[in-house]
Amino acid sequence: MRGVIGVNRVCFALITDKKTRLYEQKSLSLNGVWTQWEEIALTSRRHDDSRHAGFRFAALRIVYKRANRFRRVGMIKTEKVLHLRSCRGRRVRVVREHYLREGVPCFSSLCQAGCANDGKLLPADLTHYLVPDAQVVLSFLEILELRELRGLVFTQTAAQALQSKGRRYYSRLRSLLRDRRHDCVLFANEFQAYSYCPREKGETQESWQTRCVYSAAVWYFNHLAGMMNVVMITEDEDAVARYSSLNSGVYVVSVQDYLQNFWPELQAAHDLYGSISQALQEKEAEGSQKEYSEHLPAEILEAGIKSGRYLQGSLAVSKHRAQSEAFLTPGSSSKSAATDLSGGVLVHGGRNRNRAVHGDAVAVELLPPSEWRGKVTALTEGQGEEKGGEDGERKPMPTGRVVGILQRNWRDYVVTFPSRDGSQSQSRSSQRILAVPWDRRIPKIRISTQQADALQDHRVVVRIDSWESTSLYPNGHSVRVLGRAGELETEVQTILVENCIHVPPFSDAQLRELPVSSPERPWTVAPEEAGRRRDLRRSHLVFSIDPAGCEDVDDALSVRSLDGGRLLELGVHIADVSHFVAEGSLTDLEARSRATTYYLADRRYDMLPPVLSGDLCSLLGGVNRYAMSVIWELDAESLAVRSVWFGRSLIRSSYQLSYEEAQALLEGRAPPPEGDTQLVPALETLTRVARHLRAQRDRGGALELEGVEVRAQLDQHRNISALVPRQPLEVHETVAECMIQANHWVARKVQEAFPSQALLRRHPPPRQELFGPLVDTARARGFTITTSTNKALAESLDRAVDPRDPLVNRMLRMMATQAMSQALYFSSGSESLDQFYHYGLALDRYTHFTSPIRRYADVVVHRLLSAALELDRDQAPDLDQDKALELDRDQDLDQGSPKLDRRALVRARAPASNKELEETAHHINSKNRAAQRAQQLSTSLFQCLYFRDRDPLTDPHCVADAVVYAIRDNGLLVFVPEYGVKGAVYLRNREGQVVAAAAADGRCEWQSGTVRRYADHITTTSSCGCCTFSLFDHVTVRISVLPSSCHANTLNLELISSRPPPGPGGPPPAGPPPGRGQAARQVVQEVVRLAEEAQQGAPSPPLPPEERPFLQSPPPNLHSLLEEIRELALLDPALLDLDGPRGQRSAQAQRAT
Amino acid sequence: MAGLELLSDQGYRLDGRKATELRKFQARMGPFAQADGSAYLEQGNTKALAVVYGPHEMRGSRSRALHDRAVINCQYSMATFSTAERKRRPHGDRKSTEMSLHLKQTFEAAVMTQLYPRSQIDIYVKILQSDGGNYSVCVNAATLAVIDAGIPMRDYVCACTVGFVDETPLADLCYAEESGGVSSLALALLPRGGQIALLQMDARLHQDHLETLMEAAMTACKGVSKVLDEVVRQHLREASMLTRE
């Protein structure tokens, strides 16, 4: 009878007490006992008297309905009561439904209950699973992001608490959950019927969240039948006391105890915990005085932007006047047509900047026109000091002030703790230091730390937490210490961190995924794979031409004649990286996040592990390798392309040549290899075909120019043994042209197969206003440069040669490079067809395909090409794989299949959607930009190191010839060709003195006088007389290093003579290429001598053994000078690297554009 | 509330349902004995009461009577206490009129009006608590009321509101989802023949998504029709049992 009474009681509860919750609580404790209820309910109906019959019957009907619902759908409905504030400020009570179910999956590989687990699962080989509390996730997310912490279960409660903190943090959590390299999952504990805890009356939000998380932890332990211990970490002391003994197997500890007991050796976690908890404790009100005005709330900002009252854009702080000037480039949808905002909006002064940091997306309100100011165009005297006067300002430009921040884009910053004089207090308690960031555009950051004394003059990585309106500076916490400022390793790490380049060593898990190839068990071709590929080992002569000493050979060529000499077959074979790197594998994820190989002045960080990049993927000579091939059939006479074949192949490269060897073979200076009659004719045919293709492109207006480099010869220890200047060889041209053609044809294929889901590369035409300085400068010398099309530009640059001074043409080409826009990757569905054009190469479609070992975009294109080939195979199965596809095959295929099906098939087969490809392209573009910046910074780092150890007054190397290329109000901008250094030379210093040149030998000194600037020259007048400097004048400068403790060292150029210096450092003689080669070799020999002296003189810092493989020799070294020589290359007329104004400097990068 | 995820990565909506799940359905037919037909319907937290009078003689102006069909007269109203904030709602305001017109159009398609020439059928629907999907709940409630009144219909009229978030159609939107900027579409369907009685949408939607959204709406409506059918049969069973006993 107890059951019956139970039923009655329950039913009473139902009818009299409308709170369904009570009912649910009782029912929840019985797991799956519904059938019993049903039977008891029915029997009781029969036995009771009629007085209660109807009453009970009604109740039982509802029980039955609920039972059925629970069995059928498996969900229970509860309600959540929330108290919200409406937009008008009134408090509103809102009731929301909340559905609970049993089938919420646990995402653990230990699950025995048959949960629908798919996707990422928690591994089974751990000692415990970690369940962090909501407050822990809010405050210490950075610690949880460390990869060493595995088996993390994030509860939905914690994730929702994080959502309230900000969208950035929540998206960080989401990307953490999606990333397969982190072992963490999200458990929807609020929807799981057995772990849901309704909020009790009078319970605070935090304690309710803790209770929810604890109940989720208990559920987890029970669900896995006690096979895995569960540890919950929380900062709440009461919770620890209350819950830690309730359930064995579920441990509740505080964060500090957890880290100390479970991860005693993980120093990074301990450091982070210390600094973050310090920062949290220090969060008291700084003072009631408001330094800045409050930001407007988000709704008002959105409304203002829509109505045009506020402008939206990204804030860019001026590099030279970081304290006073910042610029906003408004987004495309700015509605105010009254003012012309194409030049940007100036935000002047710290108060108007209102706590916006460089890179944030802000909303700006324009000030009335009477308050507009102008941009200062003088050179800054001293860095970062606000000049009181307003001299040198041009006409006023639109000025505004920041009213709100739309999106904070804070990253990790490197700061230096300033050295303190002994007058500071010596207390060991925490101190708040104003640390100076390495990047001048970031304001000082307040860090509270207990190690202020120990960290003097050290570089530290910090993160900004917040910037209150009551504080002049933002608050932050430290993450890790890089080392002492000024040491080489610290400076290189600073460069990497400042450019967001993360290159940790490859993890063991990743290396385990890869095939092993050792001398005892070398890797061999798998027979089934050989069956799937076209075997070119016996039929084709394949060879590769690369820089000497190159290990990662990603491309090889082959040429042969067919059909009795009427047809030529040209083949380009690229390393088949996509076969070894499966999509979604750990290697793929790591390569995607790196996106490219990073070349710094003294080291290289590879995108792929060395087993792939140096061995299995690299098309070394004499071994079988997998490749992806593009084979063209050309008519032997007209060299027109008859057909093209794409596919996977198996090759065996016969010869691994260097450029010099290939050129020597072509010219007959070296004998062909033993017993071979085909190599030299093949090279000759190749050269002829390449010349023809290049001429075709030139007719279209290609701007590509050759590169001159100095190649380092490596001995067996991979140290540089000699610097050999490389003439611009024809064979460079040939290889480059073949690669460009391969890229172009693959772009065509991939774009035709997936019209809106292909990864391509485009080079937008430069903006005409950027050509202003070039055209003006050229006009000063009497040359006209037409910039309307790329063809016109190339021709006018070729004509602008001054026979007296070849440097003029080089400078003009340098300035043309400055005006060029960057080439970038994009997804073909995001741009219209006319935007696909590559300006520099004069091709309508282009992509990167030929270097998958060092560029991730090429790997993506390889996958796209494979998918396109599969699509063809499925659509037209009768087409034989070996049969070359005709050029007009598109019509055949389209007629066969209905259009709608094909579109759907294409969309389904594409490896990635348009949105994903666009994100990938965006990611790769930003990583490439970061790589270029890091390269430039490391070059200038080594330049400074080179000059730091030389006394500027006595060392003759510090005096060099310089060419004036631009004029400013109080000085000149000059270029030093010998070292490839650009810098500013002041004609008026801080005390008001000007440079005056003695008429006799041009020697300069400081005297009082005036400076007058004209359109193309600048004159200083003093007691010695007048001295004029015009564009393209040669002067002599002394190079020294301006040391800076908190920022990067810079080179300081001082004018010592208005005449060029005498001696071999003077302008190289003009003339045809042989003469130029002569001069280049002279300079190179000079520099080689310098470098040898440098090597003997400079102390080389001790290198840890793991660094050695990356270095070619201890820095400062010949390799760093190599980069300086590369700037030298800019002086040659036939030289521009068009992947950007600076371009990728490495030799391998030279070939593919 | 800005920033709440309408559809999480694991497929859960704000209230814990999956994308295709309907809210909890509870219905009672015949709560008012006074009217010819009445029904009370709860879909989640949206509660509607529908009352049908008719068919009866034309009240008011005889000239508006149709010679071959019955005139259906609908009136939609919301109680002042139905939303989170108490609001005075005059009966003749624009939204009520528009909804009444939509209801009229819907039921003119379903009710067999040829059987009652020169007469009038009144349908009054009142929303007691509003939590999203007002129109759909009204239509469902009115269907039950019309059946309770014994007026012959071609088929059940089932309605559902669906929205489109992150390339996924969500069935049966609640208020938080509707106000979260989701493009919502309301569909009234005669499920057996798959005929659409009314389709309403006033948000922006890409053309390619319309197909999927309508498919999802039709599936949801068919689910609703099953539940309505179950409710009607249950009511009949009880009614017959009570009369027998």
Side-chain angles (χ1 to χ4, degrees), chain B residues 28-173:
Chain B
R28 206 132 44 100
M29 288 175 67
F32 291 125
Q34 173 196 342
D36 291 334
S38 58
Y40 171 74
L41 182 69
E42 279 182 31
Q43 215 171 321
N45 277 346
T46 305
K47 302 177 166 78
L49 182 66
V51 167
V52 169
Y53 287 95
H56 56 238
E57 214 180 300
M58 278 297 290
R59 306 261 169 81
S61 51
R62 302 272 158 98
S63 55
R64 274 195 297 133
L66 296 172
H67 68 282
D68 59 343
R69 290 182 281 140
V71 170
I72 299 192
N73 175 32
C74 289
Q75 195 171 23
Y76 164 92
S77 63
M78 288 179 75
T80 51
F81 47 81
S82 57
T83 48
E85 288 180 8
R86 196 163 182 276
K87 254 188 212 167
R88 191 178 157 269
R89 287 163 207 285
H91 268 214
D93 76 334
R94 207 169 345 141
K95 190 152 162 284
S96 304
T97 328
E98 186 194 0
M99 278 288 219
S100 313
L101 192 61
H102 285 150
L103 284 172
K104 179 180 154 88
Q105 286 174 343
T106 313
F107 282 96
E108 272 180 354
V111 171
M112 296 173 127
T113 44
Q114 296 86 349
L115 300 176
Y116 306 101
R118 276 192 290 275
S119 43
Q120 176 182 346
I121 301 176
D122 296 319
I123 305 180
Y124 301 105
V125 190
K126 194 166 193 74
I127 301 268
L128 298 176
Q129 189 175 331
S130 159
D131 189 30
N134 287 345
Y135 169 76
S136 327
V137 177
C138 287
V139 165
N140 295 334
T143 303
L144 288 180
V146 166
I147 292 177
D148 192 46
I151 301 175
M153 285 211 292
R154 288 195 186 87
D155 194 359
Y156 289 97
V157 187
C158 313
C160 192
T161 318
V162 293
F164 204 76
V165 166
D166 280 354
E167 325 259 319
T168 323
L170 303 181
D172 203 6
L173 301 177

Side-chain angles (χ1 to χ4, degrees), chain A residues 44 221 410 552 737:
Chain A
S44 77
F221 181 70
W410 289 334
D552 49 343
E737 192 56 41

Side-chain angles (χ1 to χ4, degrees), chain A residues 346-626:
Chain A
L346 169 68
V347 176
H348 188 95
R351 191 137 300 192
N352 283 338
R353 208 184 297 173
N354 198 0
R355 297 174 280 151
V357 172
H358 172 76
D360 288 345
V362 300
V364 161
E365 181 182 31
L366 280 180
L367 296 174
S370 55
E371 296 182 31
W372 287 8
R373 307 172 68 119
K375 204 165 45 163
V376 180
T377 51
L379 299 168
T380 328
E381 308 249 8
Q383 301 285 356
E385 289 171 18
E386 189 140 354
K387 241 180 116 109
E390 296 180 359
D391 37 9
E393 280 189 17
R394 293 279 184 79
K395 66 176 187 58
M397 60 184 289
T399 313
R401 65 186 183 95
V402 173
V403 292
I405 312 271
L406 298 167
Q407 171 85 349
R408 289 275 192 201
N409 287 326
W410 289 334
R411 54 178 173 84
D412 290 358
Y413 301 105
V414 176
V415 302
T416 316
F417 280 63
S419 57
R420 294 127 53 78
D421 351 339
S423 58
Q424 303 282 346
S425 62
Q426 300 293 324
S427 62
R428 274 187 300 132
S429 65
S430 68
Q431 295 152 18
R432 312 183 75 180
I433 313 275
L434 274 182
V436 181
W438 191 84
D439 187 348
R440 290 177 198 280
R441 297 172 288 196
I442 312 292
K444 295 190 192 172
I445 304 177
R446 187 179 293 122
I447 315 277
S448 55
T449 169
Q450 291 182 341
Q451 301 168 356
D453 293 330
L455 290 179
Q456 282 185 46
D457 288 330
H458 276 65
R459 301 236 196 261
V460 181
V461 180
V462 303
R463 290 183 186 144
I464 301 184
D465 292 325
S466 64
W467 196 343
E468 305 297 326
S469 56
T470 52
S471 145
L472 271 179
Y473 297 108
N475 294 329
H477 66 272
S478 66
V479 177
R480 61 191 163 103
V481 178
L482 291 178
R484 185 172 282 279
E487 285 177 12
L488 177 70
E489 195 50 39
T490 313
E491 297 302 318
V492 174
Q493 288 302 317
T494 304
I495 292 174
L496 292 179
V497 171
E498 279 287 318
N499 288 298
C500 302
I501 298 175
H502 301 291
V503 280
F506 294 108
S507 66
D508 289 333
Q510 185 177 345
L511 292 175
R512 269 198 298 268
E513 274 187 343
L514 298 171
V516 172
S517 170
S518 60
E520 301 86 45
R521 290 178 43 211
W523 173 86
T524 49
V525 171
E528 62 273 7
E529 189 61 35
R532 277 197 285 259
R533 291 168 179 261
R534 180 168 169 183
D535 193 343
L536 304 175
R537 287 178 289 185
R538 274 170 263 286
S539 49
H540 285 66
L541 169 69
V542 176
F543 50 91
S544 67
I545 308 179
D546 286 290
C550 172
E551 292 176 343
D552 49 343
V553 180
D554 20 20
D555 48 71
L557 302 160
S558 71
V559 163
R560 62 175 192 173
S561 46
L562 292 178
D563 200 13
R566 278 202 297 275
L567 285 182
L568 271 184
E569 197 194 59
L570 169 66
V572 169
H573 315 279
I574 309 294
D576 195 0
V577 172
S578 57
H579 170 79
F580 291 99
V581 177
E583 179 129 22
S585 66
L586 292 174
T587 316
D588 182 49
L589 293 175
E590 184 64 33
R592 174 193 292 256
S593 86
R594 291 191 189 198
T596 174
T597 301
Y598 296 98
Y599 294 93
L600 299 183
D602 62 332
R603 66 187 74 179
R604 183 183 81 215
Y605 290 107
D606 286 321
M607 186 178 82
L608 296 173
V611 65
L612 288 183
S613 63
D615 192 4
L616 295 183
C617 290
S618 171
L619 305 175
L620 302 169
V623 286
N624 298 328
R625 286 286 183 262
Y626 294 150

Side-chain angles (χ1 to χ4, degrees), chain A residues 61 66 69 75 77 79 84 86 90 92 94-99 101 104-105 107 163 170 174 186 188 191, chain B residues 1 3-5 9-10 12-18 21 23-25 44-45 84-85 131 174 176 234 238:
Chain A
R61 201 183 39 187
R66 281 195 204 272
R69 185 138 304 115
M75 290 211 295
K77 173 176 177 284
E79 271 159 9
L84 305 173
S86 79
R90 248 190 294 170
V92 149
V94 167
V95 175
R96 292 230 183 103
E97 317 167 72
H98 196 77
Y99 288 93
R101 65 181 77 216
V104 173
F107 294 113
Q163 240 179 346
Y170 188 62
R174 282 180 69 185
L186 180 71
F191 296 140
Chain B
M1 289 193 64
L4 282 182
E5 260 190 328
D9 289 334
Q10 292 182 352
Y12 294 112
R13 290 152 79 170
L14 278 179
D15 48 9
R17 289 182 284 152
K18 294 277 173 90
E21 285 170 356
R23 291 181 284 182
K24 182 161 178 188
F25 213 92
N45 277 346
E85 288 180 8
D131 189 30
C174 63
Q234 187 65 24
E238 289 161 19

Side-chain angles (χ1 to χ4, degrees), chain A residues 791-1073:
Chain A
K791 198 161 154 58
L793 178 62
E795 285 168 1
S796 52
L797 273 177
D798 286 335
R799 278 196 305 263
V801 179
D802 184 351
R804 290 165 299 167
D805 187 1
L807 271 179
V808 169
N809 192 276
R810 299 168 194 175
M811 309 287 316
L812 288 177
R813 284 184 192 270
M814 232 171 64
M815 299 176 83
T817 325
Q818 297 263 12
M820 291 289 156
S821 50
Q822 288 260 14
L824 28 81
Y825 297 104
F826 69 105
S827 168
S828 52
S830 325
E831 300 278 349
S832 53
L833 272 176
D834 56 341
Q835 296 291 324
F836 285 18
Y837 189 67
H838 195 293
Y839 179 82
L841 294 177
L843 290 170
D844 61 336
R845 277 168 289 193
Y846 195 65
T847 185
H848 272 174
F849 168 74
T850 53
S851 302
I853 296 184
R854 61 186 172 85
R855 286 193 299 229
Y856 189 71
D858 299 45
V859 179
V860 173
V861 172
H862 275 237
R863 290 189 183 136
L864 278 168
L865 185 61
S866 312
L869 293 174
E870 258 186 43
L871 197 66
D872 287 344
R873 236 195 342 258
D874 291 342
Q875 293 232 320
D878 48 313
L879 269 183
D880 195 17
Q881 177 69 358
D882 282 336
K883 183 172 164 207
L885 292 166
E886 299 302 321
L887 281 178
D888 52 352
R889 65 166 176 74
D890 294 354
Q891 287 116 7
D892 298 339
L893 285 177
D894 266 346
Q895 276 160 15
S897 45
K899 197 161 188 284
L900 207 57
D901 277 351
R902 185 186 163 89
R903 257 180 40 195
L905 180 67
V906 163
R907 202 175 290 143
R909 284 298 195 87
S913 73
N914 181 35
K915 207 158 76 122
E916 289 166 10
L917 267 185
E918 190 61 31
E919 281 172 18
T920 311
H922 188 73
H923 170 76
I924 301 179
N925 286 336
S926 61
K927 285 297 186 185
N928 279 354
R929 281 194 291 266
Q932 281 171 18
R933 273 195 309 266
Q935 201 169 20
Q936 287 160 31
L937 287 173
S938 89
T939 309
S940 57
L941 172 69
F942 278 95
Q943 280 172 353
C944 291
L945 283 175
Y946 176 73
F947 284 108
R948 184 180 65 176
D949 302 322
R950 291 164 187 278
D951 183 8
L953 293 170
T954 57
D955 195 323
H957 300 299
C958 295
V959 171
D961 173 41
V963 181
V964 176
Y965 71 91
I967 300 193
R968 291 281 178 267
D969 288 347
N970 57 349
L972 310 163
L973 293 176
V974 302
F975 173 69
V976 181
E978 191 174 347
Y979 301 113
V981 168
K982 275 200 214 163
V985 170
Y986 292 103
L987 291 178
R988 178 174 57 202
N989 68 2
R990 242 173 279 179
E991 290 92 34
Q993 293 188 319
V994 303
V995 166
D1001 57 354
R1003 214 156 27 95
C1004 294
E1005 46 194 29
W1006 294 99
Q1007 288 183 7
S1008 48
T1010 55
V1011 171
R1012 183 89 190 275
R1013 179 199 166 156
Y1014 298 90
D1016 61 347
H1017 61 278
I1018 184 169
T1019 315
T1020 61
T1021 323
S1022 67
S1023 49
C1024 294
C1026 272
C1027 182
T1028 307
F1029 300 94
S1030 326
L1031 285 173
F1032 299 118
D1033 273 358
H1034 286 250
V1035 296
T1036 314
V1037 295
R1038 177 180 299 129
I1039 307 176
S1040 55
V1041 174
L1042 255 184
S1044 164
S1045 60
C1046 300
H1047 304 283
N1049 292 347
T1050 48
L1051 289 179
N1052 182 31
L1053 301 176
E1054 241 182 280
L1055 195 62
I1056 56 174
S1057 164
S1058 59
R1059 303 262 171 77

